[in-house]
Amino acid sequence: METELSIAVLHNEINWLQEVISQVIRSYLLQEGHEKNWQDILPPDISASESPYALKVLEWQPGVFGRIALALAIAPHLRPEALDVFFGKNQLYDRGFTEFGGVVDKNHSGFLPTAQTLYFLLTAVNPELRPEVMKLLSKENVLIRDEVIQLSEVDQNLPPLNAMLTMSSYWFEYFITGVHPPEESNPAFPAQRITTGLEWEDVVLDDNVMEQVEEIQAWLQHSSTLMNEWGLKKMLKPGYRALFYGPPGTGKTLTATLLGKMSGRDVYRIDLSMIVSKYIGETEKNLARVFAIARNKHWILFFDEADALFGKRTTTNSSNDRHANQQTAYLLQLIEDYPGVVILASNLNANIDDAFTRRFQSMIHFAMPSAEERLQLWTNAFSGTCTLHPDIDLRKIAEDHQLSGGSIINVLRTCALTAVRTSDPVVTQKNLLAGIRKEFRKENKTLIISS
């Protein structure tokens, strides 16, 4: 029943669009009734509707022009015949009207609107609206920013208004069912959800780091109060941006994951290898897709090994350099406009471009753990079924071997595998040192055993 209501609301939007199209064409071609103004045809009243489309339109407030763009993009999905009027021929040239725009795909017999189609509808009899159309099609517009309507890539030699105007299947399904499809579960989606079974008491961080992490916790818990009730949105950019830097295995990913667990938000790690594309424009498209979905689902975004895309910008000696710098600038804008939490992780903060570091609310150094912290990590790791032999001096192990928390967990895994093979859950000094030696080899270090 709810789905039927949702579809009915969309059909009403298309009915209105058809009336607008008919009136614009009549006025443009000076046919009977041309003296009427299409802007006098009011859109359907959706103020009392509970349909997903109505609720989103009321939230976005796209205006009449935005609703025409939405209806135009929805029509091929729901009622493609509504746009058949654009197949009308120009009698003078015995061909279609160029100014109508649109394309016909070999796999689709109907009329597929382009940006030119929208441009024609809004400006054919109202040329003064041209700036409004450009504003509607810009990345600052909520419908474009959140990828509700999308503009296809256009060959650089063609007019930009040739871009096909489409409704993303992600949003169309939502308007029908009220449920966002799990696009993020698609293997091709460049972000994956990360979780943990650990709790804050399982993390060993020094007091200074924990104090800064608690500031992010406070933002997650109270940002709405600060921005809205305290009026700080007049002075502050939305969202919170943090840089976690330090050697691998020091708790950067785990901390980000626990921040999500504490706040009830999903944490998604961005796979930069899937984001960065050799094709011009594809990186921006992939990034926009991630941020658009994240914005609506209130994700915490975690960019691991962030230097790959957020590193120091190069001098513009070539077109590739200029393109890389454009990607960095575009990403910076996305991050600044994102109303949620974005965490970038890097091994060295010196690798990150200064243009980014100035915009971080916090820069947290995850250093290698001290001897006391390593002792706590060893104790936590071997507090389960897999236990250490009583003869092992754990304090000495912690003092003698500088390992990160991640490496200590790897040693636990190695020892647990040995224990399960031998059916003996007690880890000997020999087995423990073998696990430590294995970790040292990864970093081309030699295990030195003091007497």
Side-chain angles (χ1 to χ4, degrees):
M1 193 64 177
E2 291 180 1
T3 299
E4 291 177 7
L5 171 64
S6 299
I7 293 175
V9 168
L10 297 180
H11 273 297
N12 286 339
E13 292 288 293
I14 295 174
N15 291 340
W16 166 64
L17 172 68
Q18 283 188 293
E19 290 185 54
V20 169
I21 292 172
S22 296
Q23 184 57 54
V24 170
I25 291 176
R26 277 196 297 270
S27 298
Y28 180 67
L29 299 179
L30 299 178
Q31 296 172 343
E32 185 179 349
H34 66 84
E35 64 282 353
K36 295 180 181 178
N37 192 324
W38 68 267
Q39 294 189 66
D40 292 332
I41 305 172
L42 299 179
D45 182 6
I46 56 173
S47 59
S49 174
E50 293 293 320
S51 76
Y53 175 84
L55 294 175
K56 276 297 178 182
V57 167
L58 292 172
E59 175 189 333
W60 291 324
Q61 293 293 314
V64 171
F65 304 152
R67 282 179 70 174
I68 287 177
L70 282 168
L72 196 60
I74 289 170
H77 290 266
L78 191 63
R79 215 164 80 211
E81 68 275 15
L83 303 183
D84 284 352
V85 64
F86 287 121
F87 283 129
K89 278 191 174 184
N90 185 326
Q91 299 300 318
L92 186 61
Y93 300 107
D94 193 31
R95 52 160 294 170
F97 287 86
T98 305
E99 54 268 51
F100 289 175
V103 296
V104 177
D105 189 89
K106 64 180 181 180
N107 297 315
H108 181 80
S109 60
F111 180 94
L112 295 172
T114 58
Q116 175 63 41
T117 312
L118 178 64
Y119 185 80
F120 169 78
L121 285 177
L122 299 184
T123 68
V125 293
N126 298 97
E128 73 278 3
L129 294 181
R130 289 173 183 173
E132 295 298 323
V133 180
M134 294 301 102
K135 194 184 301 181
L136 184 60
L137 297 174
S138 72
K139 291 178 180 177
E140 285 70 40
N141 185 280
V142 63
L143 301 179
I144 299 292
R145 183 197 67 199
D146 285 3
E147 294 208 318
V148 187
I149 54 177
Q150 301 170 323
L151 297 172
S152 65
E153 296 295 323
V154 177
D155 188 288
Q156 60 181 353
N157 298 318
L158 295 177
L161 289 178
N162 274 31
M164 193 184 304
L165 183 75
T166 59
M167 165 71 58
S168 73
S169 57
Y170 175 83
W171 279 106
F172 180 68
E173 184 171 333
Y174 177 77
F175 291 152
I176 295 291
T177 65
V179 178
H180 284 295
E183 184 171 354
E184 64 274 11
S185 64
N186 186 329
F189 189 69
Q192 294 296 319
R193 183 170 176 247
I194 53 176
T195 61
T196 181
L198 300 178
E199 303 294 340
W200 281 116
E201 54 265 27
D202 299 309
V203 185
V204 179
L205 300 173
D206 69 40
D207 292 342
N208 180 51
V209 170
M210 199 62 212
E211 183 178 341
Q212 295 180 80
V213 170
E214 286 172 352
E215 181 179 305
I216 305 176
Q217 284 183 296
W219 177 265
L220 285 165
Q221 187 174 355
H222 302 295
S223 59
S224 179
T225 300
L226 292 172
M227 297 296 278
N228 299 315
E229 295 180 25
W230 289 29
L232 294 185
K233 65 181 178 182
K234 297 177 183 177
M235 295 169 281
L236 301 181
K237 283 273 190 181
Y240 193 101
R241 291 156 288 282
L243 172 68
F244 291 178
Y245 67 97
T250 50
K252 300 186 292 293
T253 302
L254 178 58
T255 299
T257 310
L258 284 171
L259 283 168
K261 188 174 184 178
M262 176 277 304
S263 62
R265 290 170 171 83
D266 289 335
V267 181
Y268 272 76
R269 175 163 44 200
I270 312 300
D271 186 340
L272 289 174
S273 67
M274 295 178 71
I275 285 286
V276 180
S277 171
K278 63 182 179 180
Y279 300 107
I280 300 296
E282 285 299 306
T283 298
E284 289 86 344
K285 190 174 178 180
N286 291 337
L287 285 168
R289 183 176 170 221
V290 171
F291 275 86
I293 295 176
R295 179 185 296 270
N296 286 284
K297 296 203 171 186
H298 309 291
W299 290 345
I300 293 174
L301 294 178
F302 180 70
F303 289 84
D304 203 1
E305 299 181 14
D307 333 41
L309 193 56
F310 313 129
K312 292 187 179 297
R313 287 183 277 188
T314 60
T315 55
T316 54
N317 295 326
S318 69
S319 60
N320 285 339
D321 292 337
R322 286 192 294 274
H323 179 52
N325 289 345
Q326 286 171 3
Q327 290 178 347
T328 303
Y330 180 61
L331 177 62
L332 180 57
Q333 189 63 55
L334 284 174
I335 287 177
E336 281 204 290
D337 292 341
Y338 185 62
V341 170
V342 177
I343 298 171
L344 276 61
S346 172
N347 291 343
L348 293 170
N349 70 326
N351 292 345
I352 301 297
D353 194 294
D354 292 342
F356 283 95
T357 57
R358 288 194 298 271
R359 292 165 170 83
F360 291 132
Q361 274 68 59
S362 61
M363 298 175 63
I364 306 178
H365 182 211
F366 287 73
M368 288 292 286
S370 65
E372 279 300 318
E373 289 167 344
R374 291 197 295 273
L375 175 60
Q376 185 61 55
L377 288 166
W378 280 112
T379 303
N380 290 351
F382 286 88
S383 61
T385 303
C386 190
T387 57
L388 297 173
H389 192 279
D391 291 345
I392 294 176
D393 186 346
L394 202 54
R395 178 171 290 278
K396 183 171 175 55
I397 291 291
E399 290 173 351
D400 289 352
H401 307 296
Q402 189 177 31
L403 291 168
S404 68
S407 293
I408 289 171
I409 294 300
N410 287 339
V411 174
L412 168 64
R413 182 183 290 109
T414 298
C415 292
L417 288 171
T418 300
V420 79
R421 282 202 315 269
T422 60
S423 300
D424 185 356
V426 177
V427 177
T428 64
Q429 176 94 352
K430 178 182 176 182
N431 292 337
L432 186 66
L433 293 177
I436 295 173
R437 185 178 290 109
K438 182 179 177 182
E439 288 304 299
F440 274 26
R441 282 200 202 104
K442 294 178 184 178
E443 301 176 25
N444 294 318
K445 294 180 180 178
T446 304
L447 175 64
I448 300 174
I449 303 174
S450 60
S451 56

